[in-house]
Amino acid sequence: METKGSSIILAGDSIAKGIVFDAPRKRYVRANKEGFAGFIKNTMNATLEQVSRLGWLVTDVKAAIETRIFRKEPKQKLDKSETEEKSILVLEVGGNDSDFNWDEIAKDPYAEHLPKTTLPVYTDTLKQIVSAARENDIEPVLVNLPPVDADRYFAFFTAGDEEKAKNVLKWLGQVGRIYWWHERYNAALEYVAEITSTAMINVRHAFLNTPDYREYICEDGIHPNEEGQKLIFDAAMDFAKRRAPGLLLGNA
């Protein structure tokens, strides 16, 4: 992986944006060190372009990249002797895609309900982004998904409404299926990384390698907390040391 004069495009959802849930204020805020963005700013010898937003789906990310990055004229192909500049796209997305409209489910638990992005669309869109990045002479790097705390998330979105919880469970079957469904999207991302020979930052391993990953998840059950953001930092640092040590300031 070329490193000198590099620029990094960080694209994704709230995790890439470095968002945590502030329980006392019941609102989403930026993490102290900004998650991935803070890692890049503070430890890497590269410019950063942030293309992430709370709530984004993979299709939103694709559209944003096409508008802000791929719309530019393709770079003229130069000999490596002429330039060592390299653009890298770090892509983290999938948590929102795997989610459902729980209010609609609660209203009619016997109807068919689809996730915000179906698994085939999610998988195909990831492939399209990876392919388009390479066509634009940008090196893609995928980031897999931190695990969710299904029990905490269920309690969060039902918010003490017993009737809503009861109706959602009629459709869901059991709360643990939230984790299982989310895991399918993580598996799809890892599959795309494998079949496209794309490097991947293994954030999920960092969480599941702890005695209890739930200690690193916010009260909402889906966002890494400040300590979880540190796990993300460590996973990104481990990746950079192995794959692109020249990107680290001082080769830390």
Side-chain angles (χ1 to χ4, degrees):
M1 185 181 289
E2 298 288 341
T3 57
K4 293 184 179 179
S6 294
S7 61
I8 297 177
I9 304 142
L10 178 59
D13 54 29
S14 53
I15 294 177
K17 191 74 172 177
I19 299 295
V20 298
F21 182 70
D22 186 325
R25 291 190 288 171
K26 302 296 182 184
R27 57 178 295 188
Y28 290 101
V29 298
R30 294 291 290 273
N32 289 335
K33 296 184 179 180
E34 300 182 62
F36 283 125
F39 165 75
I40 294 169
K41 290 177 183 177
N42 298 323
T43 67
M44 308 199 83
N45 184 26
T47 60
L48 171 67
E49 184 163 358
Q50 174 68 274
V51 189
S52 306
R53 185 171 295 177
L54 177 70
W56 266 2
L57 306 173
V58 68
T59 48
D60 298 316
V61 175
K62 179 175 180 285
I65 294 172
E66 288 174 340
T67 299
R68 304 181 197 183
I69 310 299
F70 298 160
R71 68 177 176 179
K72 302 171 183 176
E73 291 296 323
K75 293 181 180 178
Q76 182 181 357
K77 298 291 184 180
L78 299 173
D79 265 359
K80 288 187 179 179
S81 59
E82 295 180 67
T83 179
E84 292 186 76
E85 182 178 352
K86 185 69 178 180
S87 294
I88 302 166
L89 171 65
V90 179
L91 179 65
E92 178 283 316
V93 66
N96 296 311
D97 298 274
S98 68
D99 203 14
F100 289 84
N101 186 326
W102 301 109
D103 289 337
E104 291 299 319
I105 291 172
K107 289 177 184 176
D108 189 356
Y110 299 106
E112 179 183 13
H113 297 281
L114 296 176
K116 293 178 180 178
T117 305
T118 64
L119 197 59
V121 170
Y122 175 71
T123 305
D124 288 345
T125 306
L126 283 178
K127 292 178 188 176
Q128 292 167 21
I129 295 173
V130 167
S131 177
R134 288 176 172 147
E135 289 172 2
N136 282 265
D137 199 26
I138 298 172
E139 182 170 358
V141 175
L142 294 175
V143 182
N144 63 0
L145 309 180
V148 299
D149 181 340
D151 292 324
R152 198 177 295 173
Y153 182 47
F154 183 81
F156 180 79
F157 72 72
T158 55
D161 186 331
E162 294 184 6
E163 186 66 20
K164 181 176 181 179
K166 179 181 177 181
N167 284 342
V168 168
L169 279 175
K170 288 178 182 177
W171 178 84
L172 190 61
Q174 56 180 308
V175 173
R177 285 177 62 86
I178 295 173
Y179 183 98
W180 168 76
W181 189 261
H182 179 267
E183 190 173 38
R184 293 182 69 197
Y185 283 70
N186 181 74
L189 182 146
E190 293 181 356
Y191 170 74
V192 170
E194 178 184 357
I195 66 172
T196 61
S197 299
T198 301
M200 186 187 77
I201 300 175
N202 198 341
V203 166
R204 195 175 188 87
H205 172 75
F207 281 80
L208 295 180
N209 198 41
T210 64
D212 186 354
Y213 77 88
R214 296 171 299 178
E215 295 179 0
Y216 300 88
I217 304 296
C218 290
E219 185 180 284
D220 68 353
I222 52 176
H223 286 87
N225 57 25
E226 295 285 354
E227 291 76 19
Q229 289 289 340
K230 177 60 168 57
L231 287 182
I232 293 173
F233 173 92
D234 290 342
M237 178 66 81
D238 178 68
F239 175 87
K241 285 180 177 178
R242 289 183 291 104
R243 299 297 298 267
L247 272 175
L248 296 170
L249 292 172
N251 292 328

